[in-house]
């Protein structure tokens, strides 16, 4: 068979080489037929039984989750259980059977398609990709109804399955438990994006993966030899002997470099000229904290609190209670063993509806979201503030507020924090009276009016994803304009350097917690701008640390100034190339590691 290449989205780095094992989606071959009136109750009972079986199946998987399993797996299985309990999935298909006389499979697929269409309208990329969870839950129910099941090869004692690459239309976090312990080399899916659960779990398991391949499950045949280039998001089917040899050599080199990188976990991130850089982690759940510590993070630079507020359709209360939130924040602090934790207040709104029946704004990205939403729900906001403040009695917390743009928003937020403090004083509950309060700088107006932020707040955190998106008026997940999303646009570089420079001049800490912080392409650029705090996914931390250990600020700063002065794309690109060339990229040098430890 002739070799060919498939292109998708790179979500988990590395090289995987192995034989394809195809997983068929149950929804792809569902029978559609109408039932008689006297068959309705039997069909309803069949669907209810299938849903109950999946509930039990998920609970069993959750209970038997190994202690060393990535925390994301347990959290995602919980999300799937909540989705299964939602009336939109557990009740509406039953009504479709009653009123339209569809068979159980057809009724379920009809409702899944309807919910998927609703999620397609959501602007936020993370939430839009949550439709995959609904489809995965539905697929599990369909497999019970149709008598099919996930059929993965047995993992033998010899570890022979390590060269198997799973190819599927999509795969659920629960099924991904079978990827543990290096049993499988990697996986390829038709669906998914950089924020899909598939991608997140792939990174946490450190398995090479490529998603968003569209029709890979149709084009790849069982036992085809595959190469996954996780860095490029490319899958090579039936490679030539020469290409295979090149990738095997590259795979061996990456494994050697990764082993050497792991030696840097306890090494301080110090540049060659003695500058200390703080490397922190972005997390979404308390269970993520151990992975941050294991990667060598000196703290949490971004705790995305909104994940506690989502998927609550089966709960009596619309929002999590104060005690529920407090326990979550406290658990994170305890897990971080005295290291600082930056908690971002609720970042949802028009593009991240908490309820299915909420109306989507005409332009969600510019609508009632983040702090605007919180200020419109004062009791909910006060509840979260009290929970965060109470947790501050158990360790160092920094309170981060997203999407601030106006002085009155800052003042109103600070007033509500003071109100929450007073409520706790009246209850005689302990908290950190001097808890630092900071702002996400993600709107160009905030970056351009920074003095009013510096005057009122204790620290700043740049959200590069939204800052770039708003500066360039580009939705980077819209394939029609995604090519225009450019971190090196002169306007973006100006805003970044301006915020970092003004913060340093005023003596106020500035961090970057967007994707630029974890991408080694931008490490030297940000260092040369004067950035001293980077916050990223734990899996990215060691690679960034390596860049820092091999950087000299005395060389970087003059070259970055040249890049910032450039106004033409070609000049910016040439300046970046010279910046990268200032420091070679050999293997990790033990001499540098040793000298960094001495410092």
């Amino acid at each position: 068979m002739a070799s060919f290449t498939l292109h998708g989205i790179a979500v988990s780095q590395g090289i995987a080489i192995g034989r394809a094992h195809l997983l068929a989606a149950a929804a792809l071959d569902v029978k559609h037929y109408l039932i008689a009136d006297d068959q309705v109750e039997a069909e309803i009972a069949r669907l209810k039984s299938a849903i109950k079986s999946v509930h039990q199946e998920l609970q069993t998987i959750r209970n038997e989750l190994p202690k060393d399993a990535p925390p994301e797996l347990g959290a995602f299985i919980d999300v799937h259980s909540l989705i299964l309990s939602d009336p939109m999935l557990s009740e509406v298909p039953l009504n479709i059977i009653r009123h339209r006389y569809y068979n159980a499979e057809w009724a379920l697929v009809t409702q899944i398609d309807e919910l998927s269409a609703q999620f397609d309208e959501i602007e936020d990329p993370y939430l839009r990709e949550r439709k995959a969870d609904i489809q995965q839950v539905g697929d599990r129910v369909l497999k019970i109804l149709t008598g099919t099941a996930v059929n993965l090869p047995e993992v033998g004692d010899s570890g022979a399955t390590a060269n198997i690459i799973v190819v599927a239309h999509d795969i659920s976090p629960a099924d991904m438990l079978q990827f543990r312990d290096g049993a499988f080399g990697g996986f390829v899916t038709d669906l998914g994006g950089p924020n899909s659960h598939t991608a997140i779990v792939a990174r946490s398991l450190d398995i090479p993966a490529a998603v968003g391949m569209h029709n890979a499950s149709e084009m790849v045949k069982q036992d085809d030899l595959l190469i996954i280039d996780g860095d490029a998001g490319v899958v090579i089917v039936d490679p030539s002997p020469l290409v295979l040899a090149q990738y095997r050599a590259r795979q061996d080199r990456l494994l050697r470099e990764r082993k050497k990188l792991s030696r840097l976990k306890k090494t301080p991130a110090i540049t060659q000229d003695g500058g200390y850089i703080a490397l922190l982690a972005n997390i979404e759940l308390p269970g993520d904290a151990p992975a941050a510590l294991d990667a060598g993070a000196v703290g949490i630079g971004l705790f995305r609190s909104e994940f506690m507020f989502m998927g609550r359709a089966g709960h009596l209360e619309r929002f999590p209670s104060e005690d529920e939130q407090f326990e979550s924040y406290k658990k994170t602090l305890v897990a971080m063993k005295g290291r600082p934790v930056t908690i971002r207040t609720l970042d949802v709104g028009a593009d991240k509806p908490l309820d299915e029946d909420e109306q989507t704004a005409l332009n969600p990205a510019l609508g009632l979201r983040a702090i605007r939403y919180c200020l419109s729900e004062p009791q909910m906001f006060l509840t979260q503030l009290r929970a965060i403040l109470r947790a501050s009695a158990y360790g160092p917390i920094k309170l981060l507020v997203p999407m601030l743009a106006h002085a009155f928003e800052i003042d109103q937020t600070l007033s509500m924090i003071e109100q929450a403090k007073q409520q706790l004083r009246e209850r005689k509950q302990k908290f950190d009276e001097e808890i630092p309060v900071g702002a996400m700088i993600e709107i160009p107006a905030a970056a351009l009016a920074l003095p009013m932020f510096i005057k009122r707040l204790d620290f700043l955190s740049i959200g590069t994803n939204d800052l770039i998106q708003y500066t360039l008026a580009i939705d980077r997940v819209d394939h029609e304009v995604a090519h225009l999303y450019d971190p090196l646009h002169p306007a973006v570089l100006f805003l970044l350097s301006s915020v970092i420079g003004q913060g340093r001049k005023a003596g106020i800490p500035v961090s970057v917690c967007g994707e630029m912080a974890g991408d080694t392409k931008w490490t030297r650029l940000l260092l040369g701008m004067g950035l001293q705090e980077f916050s990223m996914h734990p899996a990215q931390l060691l690679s960034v640390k390596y860049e820092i250990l091999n950087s000299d600020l005395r060389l970087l700063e003059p070259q970055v100034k040249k890049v910032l002065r450039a106004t033409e794309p070609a000049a910016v690109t040439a300046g970046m190339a010279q910046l990268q060339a200032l420091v070679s990229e050999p293997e990790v040098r033990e001499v540098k590691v040793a000298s960094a430890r001495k410092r």
Side-chain angles (χ1 to χ4, degrees), residues 256-265 542-543 545-546 588:
R256 290 195 303 271
E257 291 177 357
R258 185 169 295 187
K259 285 181 180 178
K260 291 183 177 181
L261 277 178
S262 67
R263 301 174 192 172
L264 301 178
K265 286 183 180 180
L542 291 178
S543 296
K545 183 182 286 188
Y546 172 70
V588 178

PDB file of all heavy atoms in Angstrom, residues 256-265 542-543 545-546 588:
ATOM      1  N   ARG A 256      15.831  10.113  25.160  1.00  0.00           N
ATOM      2  CA  ARG A 256      17.049  10.455  25.903  1.00  0.00           C
ATOM      3  C   ARG A 256      16.955  11.860  26.489  1.00  0.00           C
ATOM      4  O   ARG A 256      17.311  12.094  27.651  1.00  0.00           O
ATOM      5  CB  ARG A 256      18.277  10.344  24.991  1.00  0.00           C
ATOM      6  CG  ARG A 256      18.636   8.923  24.594  1.00  0.00           C
ATOM      7  CD  ARG A 256      20.051   8.861  24.022  1.00  0.00           C
ATOM      8  NE  ARG A 256      20.229   9.761  22.877  1.00  0.00           N
ATOM      9  CZ  ARG A 256      20.001   9.418  21.618  1.00  0.00           C
ATOM     10  NH1 ARG A 256      19.568   8.183  21.331  1.00  0.00           N
ATOM     11  NH2 ARG A 256      20.201  10.259  20.637  1.00  0.00           N
ATOM     12  N   GLU A 257      16.451  12.798  25.677  1.00  0.00           N
ATOM     13  CA  GLU A 257      16.341  14.185  26.148  1.00  0.00           C
ATOM     14  C   GLU A 257      15.314  14.313  27.269  1.00  0.00           C
ATOM     15  O   GLU A 257      15.505  15.067  28.222  1.00  0.00           O
ATOM     16  CB  GLU A 257      15.964  15.103  24.973  1.00  0.00           C
ATOM     17  CG  GLU A 257      17.082  15.251  23.952  1.00  0.00           C
ATOM     18  CD  GLU A 257      16.676  16.099  22.758  1.00  0.00           C
ATOM     19  OE1 GLU A 257      15.496  16.520  22.716  1.00  0.00           O
ATOM     20  OE2 GLU A 257      17.524  16.340  21.882  1.00  0.00           O
ATOM     21  N   ARG A 258      14.227  13.537  27.169  1.00  0.00           N
ATOM     22  CA  ARG A 258      13.192  13.605  28.204  1.00  0.00           C
ATOM     23  C   ARG A 258      13.733  13.093  29.541  1.00  0.00           C
ATOM     24  O   ARG A 258      13.429  13.647  30.598  1.00  0.00           O
ATOM     25  CB  ARG A 258      11.982  12.783  27.761  1.00  0.00           C
ATOM     26  CG  ARG A 258      10.806  12.896  28.705  1.00  0.00           C
ATOM     27  CD  ARG A 258       9.556  12.295  28.102  1.00  0.00           C
ATOM     28  NE  ARG A 258       9.103  13.024  26.935  1.00  0.00           N
ATOM     29  CZ  ARG A 258       7.957  12.778  26.313  1.00  0.00           C
ATOM     30  NH1 ARG A 258       7.160  11.826  26.753  1.00  0.00           N
ATOM     31  NH2 ARG A 258       7.603  13.489  25.253  1.00  0.00           N
ATOM     32  N   LYS A 259      14.521  12.038  29.486  1.00  0.00           N
ATOM     33  CA  LYS A 259      15.109  11.509  30.721  1.00  0.00           C
ATOM     34  C   LYS A 259      16.024  12.549  31.368  1.00  0.00           C
ATOM     35  O   LYS A 259      16.058  12.701  32.583  1.00  0.00           O
ATOM     36  CB  LYS A 259      15.893  10.234  30.419  1.00  0.00           C
ATOM     37  CG  LYS A 259      15.018   9.023  30.157  1.00  0.00           C
ATOM     38  CD  LYS A 259      15.857   7.784  29.879  1.00  0.00           C
ATOM     39  CE  LYS A 259      14.968   6.575  29.612  1.00  0.00           C
ATOM     40  NZ  LYS A 259      15.766   5.362  29.285  1.00  0.00           N
ATOM     41  N   LYS A 260      16.771  13.252  30.534  1.00  0.00           N
ATOM     42  CA  LYS A 260      17.666  14.281  31.078  1.00  0.00           C
ATOM     43  C   LYS A 260      16.874  15.470  31.621  1.00  0.00           C
ATOM     44  O   LYS A 260      17.254  16.067  32.629  1.00  0.00           O
ATOM     45  CB  LYS A 260      18.658  14.725  30.001  1.00  0.00           C
ATOM     46  CG  LYS A 260      19.665  13.635  29.658  1.00  0.00           C
ATOM     47  CD  LYS A 260      20.693  14.111  28.642  1.00  0.00           C
ATOM     48  CE  LYS A 260      21.719  13.020  28.379  1.00  0.00           C
ATOM     49  NZ  LYS A 260      22.753  13.438  27.408  1.00  0.00           N
ATOM     50  N   LEU A 261      15.772  15.816  30.945  1.00  0.00           N
ATOM     51  CA  LEU A 261      14.935  16.912  31.439  1.00  0.00           C
ATOM     52  C   LEU A 261      14.371  16.599  32.818  1.00  0.00           C
ATOM     53  O   LEU A 261      14.234  17.484  33.665  1.00  0.00           O
ATOM     54  CB  LEU A 261      13.783  17.188  30.468  1.00  0.00           C
ATOM     55  CG  LEU A 261      14.060  18.082  29.263  1.00  0.00           C
ATOM     56  CD1 LEU A 261      12.806  18.195  28.405  1.00  0.00           C
ATOM     57  CD2 LEU A 261      14.528  19.461  29.682  1.00  0.00           C
ATOM     58  N   SER A 262      14.040  15.328  33.060  1.00  0.00           N
ATOM     59  CA  SER A 262      13.449  14.962  34.348  1.00  0.00           C
ATOM     60  C   SER A 262      14.403  15.242  35.507  1.00  0.00           C
ATOM     61  O   SER A 262      13.969  15.395  36.645  1.00  0.00           O
ATOM     62  CB  SER A 262      13.046  13.488  34.341  1.00  0.00           C
ATOM     63  OG  SER A 262      14.194  12.650  34.273  1.00  0.00           O
ATOM     64  N   ARG A 263      15.692  15.339  35.216  1.00  0.00           N
ATOM     65  CA  ARG A 263      16.666  15.649  36.266  1.00  0.00           C
ATOM     66  C   ARG A 263      16.583  17.102  36.723  1.00  0.00           C
ATOM     67  O   ARG A 263      17.186  17.487  37.725  1.00  0.00           O
ATOM     68  CB  ARG A 263      18.081  15.365  35.771  1.00  0.00           C
ATOM     69  CG  ARG A 263      18.316  13.924  35.343  1.00  0.00           C
ATOM     70  CD  ARG A 263      19.694  13.759  34.736  1.00  0.00           C
ATOM     71  NE  ARG A 263      19.833  12.468  34.061  1.00  0.00           N
ATOM     72  CZ  ARG A 263      20.872  12.130  33.318  1.00  0.00           C
ATOM     73  NH1 ARG A 263      21.868  12.990  33.155  1.00  0.00           N
ATOM     74  NH2 ARG A 263      20.926  10.954  32.737  1.00  0.00           N
ATOM     75  N   LEU A 264      15.845  17.913  35.965  1.00  0.00           N
ATOM     76  CA  LEU A 264      15.757  19.335  36.297  1.00  0.00           C
ATOM     77  C   LEU A 264      14.633  19.661  37.266  1.00  0.00           C
ATOM     78  O   LEU A 264      14.451  20.818  37.634  1.00  0.00           O
ATOM     79  CB  LEU A 264      15.540  20.162  35.017  1.00  0.00           C
ATOM     80  CG  LEU A 264      16.594  20.045  33.924  1.00  0.00           C
ATOM     81  CD1 LEU A 264      16.176  20.889  32.729  1.00  0.00           C
ATOM     82  CD2 LEU A 264      17.950  20.478  34.426  1.00  0.00           C
ATOM     83  N   LYS A 265      13.851  18.659  37.699  1.00  0.00           N
ATOM     84  CA  LYS A 265      12.671  18.921  38.523  1.00  0.00           C
ATOM     85  C   LYS A 265      12.978  19.754  39.762  1.00  0.00           C
ATOM     86  O   LYS A 265      12.221  20.642  40.132  1.00  0.00           O
ATOM     87  CB  LYS A 265      12.011  17.598  38.925  1.00  0.00           C
ATOM     88  CG  LYS A 265      11.267  16.920  37.795  1.00  0.00           C
ATOM     89  CD  LYS A 265      10.584  15.650  38.278  1.00  0.00           C
ATOM     90  CE  LYS A 265       9.830  14.985  37.131  1.00  0.00           C
ATOM     91  NZ  LYS A 265       9.150  13.742  37.580  1.00  0.00           N
ATOM     92  N   LEU A 542       9.105  21.641  32.443  1.00  0.00           N
ATOM     93  CA  LEU A 542      10.522  21.286  32.358  1.00  0.00           C
ATOM     94  C   LEU A 542      11.171  21.782  31.065  1.00  0.00           C
ATOM     95  O   LEU A 542      12.334  22.191  31.063  1.00  0.00           O
ATOM     96  CB  LEU A 542      10.697  19.768  32.495  1.00  0.00           C
ATOM     97  CG  LEU A 542      10.390  19.198  33.881  1.00  0.00           C
ATOM     98  CD1 LEU A 542      10.544  17.685  33.883  1.00  0.00           C
ATOM     99  CD2 LEU A 542      11.303  19.819  34.940  1.00  0.00           C
ATOM    100  N   SER A 543      10.419  21.756  29.969  1.00  0.00           N
ATOM    101  CA  SER A 543      10.973  22.261  28.703  1.00  0.00           C
ATOM    102  C   SER A 543      11.246  23.753  28.797  1.00  0.00           C
ATOM    103  O   SER A 543      12.271  24.250  28.305  1.00  0.00           O
ATOM    104  CB  SER A 543      10.000  21.981  27.550  1.00  0.00           C
ATOM    105  OG  SER A 543       9.850  20.597  27.351  1.00  0.00           O
ATOM    106  N   LYS A 545      11.804  25.377  31.593  1.00  0.00           N
ATOM    107  CA  LYS A 545      12.917  25.541  32.533  1.00  0.00           C
ATOM    108  C   LYS A 545      14.257  25.337  31.826  1.00  0.00           C
ATOM    109  O   LYS A 545      15.227  26.060  32.084  1.00  0.00           O
ATOM    110  CB  LYS A 545      12.783  24.545  33.692  1.00  0.00           C
ATOM    111  CG  LYS A 545      13.871  24.708  34.748  1.00  0.00           C
ATOM    112  CD  LYS A 545      13.752  23.678  35.859  1.00  0.00           C
ATOM    113  CE  LYS A 545      12.607  23.972  36.786  1.00  0.00           C
ATOM    114  NZ  LYS A 545      12.612  23.078  37.978  1.00  0.00           N
ATOM    115  N   TYR A 546      14.292  24.358  30.938  1.00  0.00           N
ATOM    116  CA  TYR A 546      15.529  24.117  30.194  1.00  0.00           C
ATOM    117  C   TYR A 546      15.941  25.341  29.388  1.00  0.00           C
ATOM    118  O   TYR A 546      17.115  25.725  29.343  1.00  0.00           O
ATOM    119  CB  TYR A 546      15.344  22.905  29.275  1.00  0.00           C
ATOM    120  CG  TYR A 546      16.495  22.677  28.329  1.00  0.00           C
ATOM    121  CD1 TYR A 546      17.730  22.241  28.801  1.00  0.00           C
ATOM    122  CD2 TYR A 546      16.362  22.904  26.960  1.00  0.00           C
ATOM    123  CE1 TYR A 546      18.794  22.041  27.934  1.00  0.00           C
ATOM    124  CE2 TYR A 546      17.410  22.718  26.088  1.00  0.00           C
ATOM    125  CZ  TYR A 546      18.623  22.279  26.580  1.00  0.00           C
ATOM    126  OH  TYR A 546      19.675  22.094  25.729  1.00  0.00           O
ATOM    127  N   VAL A 588      20.716  18.622  27.456  1.00  0.00           N
ATOM    128  CA  VAL A 588      20.810  19.247  28.771  1.00  0.00           C
ATOM    129  C   VAL A 588      22.209  19.017  29.325  1.00  0.00           C
ATOM    130  O   VAL A 588      22.686  17.899  29.380  1.00  0.00           O
ATOM    131  CB  VAL A 588      19.767  18.639  29.729  1.00  0.00           C
ATOM    132  CG1 VAL A 588      19.902  19.261  31.103  1.00  0.00           C
ATOM    133  CG2 VAL A 588      18.375  18.848  29.189  1.00  0.00           C
TER     134      VAL A 588
END
